[in-house]
């Protein structure tokens, strides 16, 4: 059993014109290696391709899960704009499911998702991870992403300023390690992140 | 949020031509060689990062650029933003870049392990030394943790001991005062440090005990940061790093701080323990302290949430420690029991009950502690109150899955509580169906199996009832506007929910435990009341998972069921046939063919009624097929001629009724397959009681007229009508040779389903065609 976060994704929930229905565009992906030796006879390129495919499968499953959840709850989506990040986060829906397939990530990894309007923030964790902590971490990361990448606006910072996500993950989820942060630790890290972004 | 501009940027990044990319890389290479890092450099690197990440296949970058990026990454003076960007680019681009970074890593695991141990040695060295730049040691710990979980065998004894000692230091002996904050004392004095203020608990009270993640300060010292990182990885470390039992005599004596702490009797002698055991002791104390600290009322919401996470983590860690060393169990239980007492009944802490329940499950036997109350609360109350909390639902079901066999054996009310447990599924069908597919077998007990089947079939009703219960709790009856806002249909159902006369129905559906009866008589009424909710998304999603559950149920039950249960199951299938898959009927009868004779009355009643065709055609067809297959003395000696005759007569009457050719007749609403299955079954029965052969031949001869009648010709395809006619003809011919017919129409060894009549691979049509062919060739020499 391993206690680690496997990866973090930001991907679309809305229809994307270039893709077929139900498909999702991954805007940011960070996998926390190393991966355990599965099939050592693959070349590095093959492994990279396999990894990308796996991430897409996860993202698609999240998209379906979000659609089903939103349908069931029947809530109306109020579109928030720049400056209303806290409201958008407050309205976000969240959920969890397990990846049954051993082919994807071994040991029935757990997928935690947060749907903010037309984007999803997804964490894939190993089983038996502290889900309460993972949830709080995911929310915190999402909050920073919404703010630092101006995701409620029409810009493309999520693509061009993705180093900001790397930097904030480096602090909030170093190498996939979930951290027990009280609000003062959080404030200090917030300042560090703000410093990074302002440069 | 996601705009066309973003999409087109991705497109550009993906479609950039190779030569353009090489030119771009050349430009970046030049920029990286200038002294200052310009905005242009950063911008270009960000674009390059996007380019290499945007495609599924890896992009190859020019080697000189790659070398330059690696050099940059390794240089200590490189600004963080450049480090982040270069690291990301190297990771995403053509993989050989990574290899050259790790000095030509081959697939050879031995080489990798050497490299890893070099890295590990450096990490240990960092941990050992007292570096003032805390940023390095901060990240050493997560790296170390990751490596030790993935490759635990890499660590040597010395390294484990070294790290364990360091972890003890950070965990238990971190500074007790706030970090110094550099601030100027005023305009005239130089910067001087303020007097460090004391740390506080999450409720503002000054801390009196050792530092933990639940202690607050304006700023933190380096070892307080390490305290937080240590606690974050300690569970993993305790689990994965093997315990090296040799005592360490050269253990440097730690200077215990003079802080009062919740130490147990052993801690004063704990200095003599080997490092791993000492770490265990300190981790245990840390968890006890966290559990205490979680009782305080935090001033900030973040801290309240952290307290919950800390409770879950602490109980899990204590569980692990007790598993490794049972002597801790006696120290742990008072703490855990008190915690349970505190949290019990507080809905906000329901998720924390699960690790507590796990602890009881693992250790209550050793400690001879009674755990009944805990499981009673868990199974009898928790689901009913919180079925619609997705995270709790998930964790609850995972808990059940993980412990299914133990729960079945040792916790009496686990299986009894399936009505409650299924509420989680009703509240979140799509999210939990995968788990329930695995979990369902563990909920099946012989005395409640039939009730469980009914409950599964009623799952959509349960979903609707739960929905109504929730809404009813939210809205006062007097607040009509809120009531009506939910739509007329829902409002009508809500009214019904509130009616005293229907109370019993709803109470039954929402019951927490099994054992009060298989099902209620007035189920039909409940269905009618809730009919308006049938289109609500939650109910629809629920209905979609029912067939899956039924498959699992039948697969499990048919393996274990005795004769009595099989009879009961068949009755349920007949009673609620509109919802049940025909395959289950088949499976059941194949397993236990005497069922047909046992339940002949009910089956006959079902098969005699043409109304069943119109509402449940598929199921009806299967019933007819099953009769043809298994109503035979070769399966059950009790199968008398009278029985066969009575079935024959009923089916004959049905066939006659549905194939009546009248001028004003409307086209048939059933499929041609029903006709062929009926014809074949009648023929089969006739071979077993040969007096019936003339009757069935007469019946079959009328099929041509039926098939060629106007309403049927408009409805069925040419092939279908031809097939009916041909089949009827073949059967008539076959029945002219009763002994041959008996052989051809005998129960098939494979027991396959009523195949589509045009399935040329099925042996029956083939066999019949062969015989027919034979008959035509020799027709002149056969008696008519």
């Amino acid at each position: 059993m391993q206690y680690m976060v496997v990866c973090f994704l930001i991907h679309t929930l809305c229809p994307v014109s270039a893709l077929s229905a139900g498909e999702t565009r991954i805007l940011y992906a960070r996998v926390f290696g190393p991966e355990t030796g599965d099939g050592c006879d693959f070349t590095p390129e093959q492994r990279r391709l396999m990894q990308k495919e796996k991430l897409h499968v996860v993202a698609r499953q999240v998209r379906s899960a979000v659609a089903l959840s939103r349908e069931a709850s029947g809530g109306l989506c109020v579109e928030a704009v720049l400056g209303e990040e806290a409201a958008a986060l407050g309205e976000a829906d969240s959920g969890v499911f397990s990846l049954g397939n051993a082919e994807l990530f071994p040991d029935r990894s757990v997928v935690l998702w947060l749907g903010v309007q037309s984007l999803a923030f997804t964490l894939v964790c190993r089983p038996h991870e502290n889900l309460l902590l993972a949830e709080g971490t995911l929310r915190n990361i999402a909050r920073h992403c919404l703010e630092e990448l101006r995701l409620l606006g029409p810009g493309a910072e999520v693509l061009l300023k993705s180093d900001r996500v790397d930097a904030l993950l480096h602090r909030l989820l170093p190498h996939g390690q979930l951290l027990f942060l009280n609000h003062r630790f959080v404030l200090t890290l917030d300042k560090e992140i703000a410093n990074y972004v302002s440069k | 949020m996601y705009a066309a501009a973003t999409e087109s940027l991705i497109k550009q990044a993906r479609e950039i031509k190779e030569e353009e990319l090489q030119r771009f890389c050349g430009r970046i290479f030049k920029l990286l060689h200038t002294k200052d890092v310009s905005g242009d450099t950063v911008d270009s690197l960000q674009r390059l990062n996007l380019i290499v990440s945007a495609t599924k296949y890896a992009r190859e970058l020019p080697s000189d650029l790659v070398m330059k990026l690696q050099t940059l990454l390794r240089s200590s003076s490189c600004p963080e933003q450049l480090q982040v960007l270069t690291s990301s680019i190297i990771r995403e681009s053509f993989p050989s870049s990574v290899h050259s970074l790790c000095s030509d890593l081959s697939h050879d695991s031995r080489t990798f392990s050497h490299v890893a141990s070099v890295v590990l040695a450096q990490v240990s060295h960092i941990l050992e030394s007292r570096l003032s730049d805390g940023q390095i040691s901060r990240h050493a710990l997560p790296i170390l943790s990751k490596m030790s979980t993935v490759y635990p065998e890499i660590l040597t004894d010395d390294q484990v001991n070294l790290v364990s000692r360091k972890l003890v230091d950070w965990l238990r002996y971190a500074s007790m005062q706030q970090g110094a904050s550099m601030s100027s004392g005023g305009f005239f004095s130089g910067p001087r440090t303020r007097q460090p203020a004391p740390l506080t608990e999450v409720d503002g009270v000054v801390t009196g005990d050792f530092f933990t993640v639940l202690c607050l300060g304006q700023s933190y010292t380096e070892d307080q940061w390490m305290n937080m990182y240590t606690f974050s990885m300690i569970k993993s470390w305790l689990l994965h790093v093997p315990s090296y039992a040799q005592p360490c005599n050269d253990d440097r004596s730690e200077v215990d701080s003079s802080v009062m702490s919740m130490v147990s009797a052993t801690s004063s002698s704990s200095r003599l323990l080997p490092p791993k055991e000492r770490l265990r002791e300190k981790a245990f104390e840390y968890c006890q302290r966290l559990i205490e600290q979680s009782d305080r009322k935090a001033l900030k919401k973040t801290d309240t949430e952290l307290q919950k996470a800390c409770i879950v983590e602490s109980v899990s860690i204590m569980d692990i420690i007790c598993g490794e060393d049972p002597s801790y169990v006696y120290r742990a239980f008072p703490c855990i029991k008190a915690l349970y007492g505190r949290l019990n009944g507080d809905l906000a802490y329901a998720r924390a009950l699960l690790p507590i329940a796990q602890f009881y499950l693992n250790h209550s036997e050793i400690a001879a502690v009674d755990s009944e109350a805990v499981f009673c609360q868990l199974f009898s109350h928790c689901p009913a109150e919180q079925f619609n909390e997705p995270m709790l639902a998930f964790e609850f079901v995972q808990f059940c899955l993980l412990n299914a066999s133990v729960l079945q054996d040792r916790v009496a009310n686990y299986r009894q509580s399936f009505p409650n447990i299924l509420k989680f599924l009703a509240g979140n069908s799509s999210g939990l169906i995968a788990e329930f597919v695995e979990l369902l077998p563990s909920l099946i007990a012989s005395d409640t199996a039939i009730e469980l089947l009914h409950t599964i079939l009623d799952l959509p009703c349960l979903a609707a009832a739960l929905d109504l219960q929730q809404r009813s709790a939210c809205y006062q009856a007097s607040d009509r506007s809120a009531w009506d806002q939910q739509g007329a249909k829902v409002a009508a159902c809500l009214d019904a929910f509130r009616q005293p006369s229907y109370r019993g129905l709803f109470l039954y559906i929402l019951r927490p435990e099994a054992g009060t009866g298989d099902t209620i008589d007035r189920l039909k009424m409940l269905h009618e009341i809730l009919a308006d909710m049938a289109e609500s998304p939650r109910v629809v999603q629920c209905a979609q998972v029912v067939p899956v559950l039924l498959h699992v149920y039948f697969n499990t039950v048919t393996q274990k069921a005795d004769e009595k249960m099989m009879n009961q199951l068949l009755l349920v299938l007949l009673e609620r046939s509109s919802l049940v898959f025909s395959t289950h009927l088949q499976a059941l009868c194949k397993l236990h063919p005497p069922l047909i004779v046992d339940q002949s009355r009910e089956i006959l009643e079902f098969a005699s009624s043409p109304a069943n065709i119109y509402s449940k055609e598929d199921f009806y067809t299967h019933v007819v097929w099953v009769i043809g297959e298994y109503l035979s003395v070769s399966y059950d000696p009790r199968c008398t001629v009278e029985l066969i005759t009575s079935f024959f007569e009923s089916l004959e009457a049905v066939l006659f009724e549905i194939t009546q050719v009248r001028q004003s007749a409307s086209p048939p609403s059933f499929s041609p397959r029903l006709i062929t299955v009926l014809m074949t079954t009648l023929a089969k029965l006739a071979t077993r009681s040969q007096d019936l052969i003339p009757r069935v031949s007469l019946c079959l001869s009328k099929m041509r007229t039926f098939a060629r009648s106007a309403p049927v010709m408009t409805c069925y395809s040419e092939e279908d009508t031809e097939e009916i006619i041909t089949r009827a003809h073949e059967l008539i011919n076959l029945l002219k040779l009763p002994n041959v017919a008996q052989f051809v129409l005998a129960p098939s060894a494979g027991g396959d389903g009523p195949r589509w009549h045009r399935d040329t691979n099925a042996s029956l049509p083939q066999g019949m065609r062969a015989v027919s062919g034979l008959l035509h060739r020799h027709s002149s020499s056969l008696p008519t």
Side-chain angles (χ1 to χ4, degrees):
Chain A
M1 285 199 300
Q2 298 188 21
Y3 293 74
M4 278 291 170
V5 168
V6 175
C7 73
F8 169 71
L9 301 173
I10 305 177
H11 55 101
T12 57
L13 294 173
C14 52
V16 175
S17 53
L19 300 171
S20 52
E23 283 288 337
T24 160
R25 173 78 74 206
I26 295 182
L27 300 172
Y28 178 88
R30 178 69 198 275
V31 176
F32 299 102
E35 289 181 31
T36 44
D38 55 323
C40 306
D41 18 298
F42 292 121
T43 64
E45 302 102 83
Q46 283 174 322
R47 270 207 220 110
R48 181 202 148 101
L49 190 62
M50 269 168 46
Q51 192 180 84
K52 294 260 178 201
E53 296 285 334
K54 284 183 193 180
L55 295 178
H56 271 96
V57 171
V58 173
R60 274 200 299 272
Q61 286 194 19
V62 171
R63 191 174 190 306
S64 315
V66 176
L68 284 167
S69 167
R70 283 179 175 175
E71 190 187 34
S73 60
L76 289 164
C77 212
V78 178
E79 296 280 311
V81 296
L82 280 170
E84 296 174 353
E85 281 81 12
L89 208 50
E91 294 287 310
D93 31 2
S94 61
V96 62
F97 60 88
S98 65
L99 282 174
N101 233 320
E103 301 151 21
L104 283 180
F105 296 101
D107 300 334
R108 293 196 80 147
S109 301
V110 174
V111 180
L112 205 54
W113 56 263
L114 192 65
V116 181
Q117 290 173 189
S118 53
L119 287 184
F121 301 90
T122 299
L123 268 186
V124 178
C125 308
R126 292 274 188 239
H128 315 298
E129 188 61 84
N130 187 325
L131 283 182
L132 266 168
L133 189 65
E135 254 187 280
T137 307
L138 182 58
R139 260 185 201 266
N140 201 12
I141 293 173
R143 170 177 66 91
H144 277 287
C145 288
L146 284 172
E147 287 166 11
E148 315 316 347
L149 299 174
R150 298 166 59 83
L151 289 174
L152 292 175
E157 284 93 343
V158 63
L159 298 176
L160 291 173
K161 309 272 182 212
S162 61
D163 59 295
R164 291 181 183 176
V165 188
D166 285 339
L168 71 94
L169 287 178
H170 192 62
R171 284 163 177 78
L172 299 177
L173 196 57
H175 303 280
Q177 176 74 60
L178 291 170
L179 299 176
F180 285 84
L181 302 172
N182 62 48
H183 82 271
R184 293 243 51 113
F185 277 114
V186 168
L187 276 172
T188 310
L189 291 174
D190 280 356
K191 276 198 211 114
E192 282 186 25
I193 293 168
N195 267 342
Y196 177 92
V197 172
S198 63
K199 286 196 184 102
Chain B
M1 276 177 107
Y2 181 70
T6 320
E7 184 64 19
S8 79
L9 200 56
I10 293 183
K11 193 162 186 278
Q12 282 174 43
R14 284 188 170 176
E15 293 174 0
I16 184 170
K17 299 261 188 318
E18 194 56 38
E19 7 170 291
E20 212 188 312
L21 176 60
Q22 299 296 324
R23 273 201 304 268
F24 186 47
C25 288
R27 240 183 297 141
I28 296 179
F29 186 73
K30 288 205 194 85
L31 281 171
L32 288 175
H33 274 91
T34 57
K35 276 276 155 94
D36 304 309
V37 177
S38 63
D40 213 14
T41 316
V42 171
D43 211 53
S44 305
L45 283 174
Q46 283 171 334
R47 282 181 192 271
L48 182 61
N49 190 15
L50 175 60
I51 292 168
V52 297
S53 322
T55 48
K56 277 192 184 169
Y57 59 91
R59 291 266 195 172
E60 186 164 1
L61 299 179
S63 51
D64 55 356
L65 177 61
V66 173
M67 296 289 273
K68 182 67 193 162
L69 290 174
Q70 287 174 10
T71 318
L72 233 110
L73 189 56
R74 279 189 272 234
S75 94
S76 48
S77 57
C78 179
E80 191 188 349
Q81 195 174 25
L82 284 194
Q83 278 186 325
V84 171
L85 283 164
T86 51
S87 171
S88 179
I89 292 168
I90 291 173
R91 267 202 318 267
E92 288 288 337
S93 60
F94 198 64
S96 62
S97 319
V98 180
H99 284 186
S100 52
L101 188 63
C102 293
S103 60
D104 203 322
L105 212 57
S106 55
H107 296 306
D108 176 4
S109 61
R110 188 166 45 87
T111 312
F112 179 79
S113 124
H114 284 315
V115 173
S117 53
V118 165
V119 173
L120 213 55
Q122 289 178 335
V123 166
S124 307
H125 173 73
I126 289 166
L127 291 178
E128 209 176 52
S129 65
R130 309 210 175 266
L131 281 173
S132 52
D133 184 355
Q135 294 283 348
I136 301 179
S137 53
R138 281 194 210 176
H139 284 277
L141 218 44
I143 296 174
L144 184 65
S145 173
K146 177 168 242 99
M147 295 198 83
S148 67
T149 59
V150 178
Y151 303 106
E153 61 277 4
I154 281 180
L155 293 167
T156 65
D157 296 16
D158 288 340
Q159 283 168 332
V160 169
N161 288 340
L162 165 70
V163 174
S164 299
R165 271 187 238 126
K166 260 336 269 186
L167 294 179
V168 165
D169 268 348
W170 284 320
L171 210 51
R172 192 59 184 73
Y173 303 111
S175 314
M176 282 300 301
Q177 288 172 328
Q178 290 198 30
S181 47
M182 306 295 280
S183 56
S184 54
F187 185 70
F188 292 104
S189 48
R192 62 161 188 255
T193 53
R194 285 229 192 105
Q195 192 65 16
L199 296 161
T200 64
E201 302 285 346
V202 292
D203 56 1
V205 170
V206 171
T207 306
D209 210 336
F210 62 88
F211 181 85
T212 70
V213 294
L214 287 175
C215 294
L216 304 177
Q218 285 288 333
S219 71
Y220 291 112
T221 61
E222 217 32 63
D223 56 356
Q224 286 166 349
W225 278 93
M226 294 312 294
N227 178 294
M228 182 271 290
Y229 282 105
T230 304
F231 180 66
S232 301
M233 53 76 89
I234 197 71
K235 186 165 78 169
S236 183
W237 180 264
L238 286 174
L239 256 185
H240 291 104
V241 177
S243 180
Y244 293 90
Q246 0 28 345
C248 250
N249 297 318
D250 60 342
D251 206 327
R252 287 172 245 136
S253 58
E254 310 289 349
V255 177
D256 259 27
S257 53
S258 54
V259 174
M260 271 263 298
S261 55
M262 249 182 47
V263 289
S264 62
T266 63
S267 77
S268 52
S269 56
S270 70
R271 258 172 262 165
L272 302 174
L273 288 172
K276 177 78 195 285
E277 277 68 16
R278 188 140 185 268
L279 179 59
R280 223 186 263 155
E281 169 70 40
K282 298 304 166 192
F284 190 85
E285 288 173 13
Y286 196 101
C287 292
Q288 282 181 310
R289 171 137 161 77
L290 279 183
I291 289 174
E292 246 197 13
Q293 287 177 298
S294 304
D295 201 8
R296 295 172 182 274
K297 185 119 176 51
L299 298 173
K300 296 267 181 196
K301 182 160 179 265
T302 313
D303 296 338
T304 313
E305 296 308 303
L306 186 66
Q307 282 176 313
K308 289 181 196 164
C310 284
I311 290 176
V312 167
E313 190 81 355
S314 300
V315 175
S316 302
I317 292 174
M318 286 168 98
D319 197 344
I320 292 168
I321 292 175
C322 289
E324 289 180 357
D325 182 352
S327 68
Y328 278 94
V329 174
Y330 302 101
R331 289 167 63 188
F333 251 116
C335 179
I336 304 275
K337 261 206 261 191
L339 180 62
Y340 174 73
R342 232 170 70 200
L343 300 183
N344 186 15
D346 187 347
L347 292 179
Y349 283 86
R351 286 169 74 178
L353 282 184
L354 291 166
I356 293 176
Q358 186 70 60
F359 188 92
Y360 270 88
L361 211 55
N362 293 344
H363 306 292
S364 61
E365 265 188 18
I366 298 177
V369 168
D370 180 26
S371 53
E372 205 184 301
V374 173
F375 291 109
C376 182
Q377 170 69 15
L378 197 66
F379 291 114
S380 307
H381 296 105
C382 192
E385 287 151 13
Q386 305 206 281
F387 59 87
N388 59 347
E389 298 281 324
M391 303 292 176
L392 172 66
F394 182 80
E395 292 183 312
F396 192 105
V397 176
Q398 293 284 26
F399 169 82
C400 292
L401 260 178
L402 188 64
N403 299 291
S405 44
V406 178
L407 287 171
Q408 272 183 285
D409 294 334
R410 281 173 41 199
V411 177
N413 70 333
Y414 168 64
R415 282 195 280 192
Q416 288 295 105
S417 305
F418 70 73
N420 247 2
I421 297 174
L422 282 170
K423 285 178 187 164
F424 284 127
L425 184 61
N428 187 7
S429 326
S430 50
L432 291 175
I433 183 60
E435 270 70 28
F436 268 91
V437 162
E438 274 197 47
L439 189 66
L440 191 65
S442 72
L443 291 171
I444 300 175
S446 49
D447 50 344
T448 50
I450 300 295
E451 189 183 338
L452 178 58
L453 178 56
H454 281 287
T455 311
I456 295 173
L457 292 166
D458 288 327
L459 214 57
C461 276
L462 179 59
L466 288 171
D467 195 341
L468 290 174
Q469 186 187 48
Q470 235 188 325
R471 288 177 202 260
S472 179
C474 288
Y475 303 106
Q476 295 304 315
S478 50
D479 189 2
R480 275 327 290 208
S481 55
W483 202 270
D484 292 330
Q485 242 171 38
Q486 299 168 76
K489 286 188 174 180
V490 175
C493 291
L494 267 171
D495 279 332
F497 185 78
R498 292 269 184 113
Q499 286 241 26
S501 49
Y502 296 143
R503 202 85 205 103
L505 291 174
F506 284 108
L507 277 176
Y508 179 79
I509 277 287
L510 294 169
R511 73 202 184 286
E513 263 189 5
T516 48
D518 289 345
T519 182
I520 36 172
D521 293 331
R522 300 188 296 154
L523 201 60
K524 240 177 130 46
M525 187 182 301
L526 185 65
H527 291 167
E528 277 162 34
I529 299 168
L530 294 173
D532 279 335
M533 302 276 295
E535 319 235 304
S536 93
R538 227 184 266 281
V539 174
V540 169
Q541 286 179 17
C542 205
Q544 287 166 347
V545 306
V546 169
V548 180
L549 282 182
L550 287 176
H551 269 292
V552 176
Y553 178 88
F554 277 99
N555 281 341
T556 315
V557 158
T558 46
Q559 281 167 32
K560 303 194 272 187
D562 62 1
E563 199 179 304
K564 177 164 168 249
M565 170 148 335
M566 298 232 204
N567 273 285
Q568 286 178 305
L569 286 174
L570 186 65
L571 285 176
V572 174
L573 292 190
L574 286 175
E575 188 188 319
R576 307 196 60 174
S577 50
S578 56
L579 297 169
V580 170
F581 276 3
S582 320
T583 42
H584 303 305
L585 173 73
Q586 242 172 276
L588 210 57
C589 293
K590 178 177 170 184
L591 209 61
H592 193 68
L595 277 175
I596 307 289
V597 176
D598 285 334
Q599 304 295 342
S600 55
R601 195 161 53 97
E602 276 77 14
I603 297 177
L604 193 55
E605 203 179 301
F606 183 87
S608 313
S609 155
N612 284 332
I613 298 177
Y614 304 117
S615 55
K616 314 157 190 179
E617 186 188 314
D618 187 67
F619 188 76
Y620 183 88
T621 312
H622 274 80
V623 171
V624 173
W625 183 83
V626 150
I627 293 170
E629 266 300 283
Y630 297 113
L631 190 69
S632 154
V633 82
S634 58
Y635 276 114
D636 191 336
R638 297 171 298 168
C639 187
T640 59
V641 165
E642 284 81 24
L643 197 58
I644 293 180
T645 309
S646 56
F647 269 95
F648 180 90
E649 285 176 347
S650 302
L651 291 178
E652 183 192 37
V654 167
L655 184 60
F656 181 67
E657 190 181 316
I658 64 177
T659 56
Q660 269 188 357
V661 178
R662 294 185 297 257
Q663 278 298 84
S664 54
S666 47
S669 56
F670 42 83
S671 73
R673 188 178 74 150
L674 177 62
I675 302 288
T676 45
V677 171
L678 269 169
M679 292 195 300
T680 315
T681 296
L682 284 168
K684 285 179 183 174
L685 292 178
T687 62
R688 294 167 204 161
S689 171
Q690 298 186 0
D691 298 343
L692 299 168
I693 290 180
R695 280 173 74 168
V696 73
S697 298
L698 185 61
C699 188
L700 290 171
S701 64
K702 299 205 173 106
M703 289 300 108
R704 188 191 181 82
T705 324
F706 164 74
R708 286 262 175 256
S709 68
V712 176
M713 294 291 282
T714 54
C715 188
Y716 293 163
S717 71
E718 181 67 30
E719 294 164 315
D720 287 340
T721 38
E722 272 313 306
E723 193 59 40
I724 292 176
I725 296 171
T726 317
R727 176 65 74 94
H729 186 67
E730 286 170 353
L731 282 171
I732 293 173
N733 281 337
L734 196 58
L735 289 167
K736 287 179 186 162
L737 305 170
N739 295 331
V740 179
Q742 211 170 26
F743 159 71
V744 172
L745 295 173
S748 45
D752 303 310
R755 295 232 207 218
W756 180 234
H757 59 197
R758 274 190 270 126
D759 181 356
T760 50
N761 291 326
S763 58
L764 181 55
Q766 255 184 359
M768 285 184 17
R769 275 189 191 107
V771 173
S772 261
L774 203 67
L775 287 171
H776 278 140
R777 262 179 266 139
H778 300 282
S779 54
S780 54
S781 56
L782 287 173
T784 44

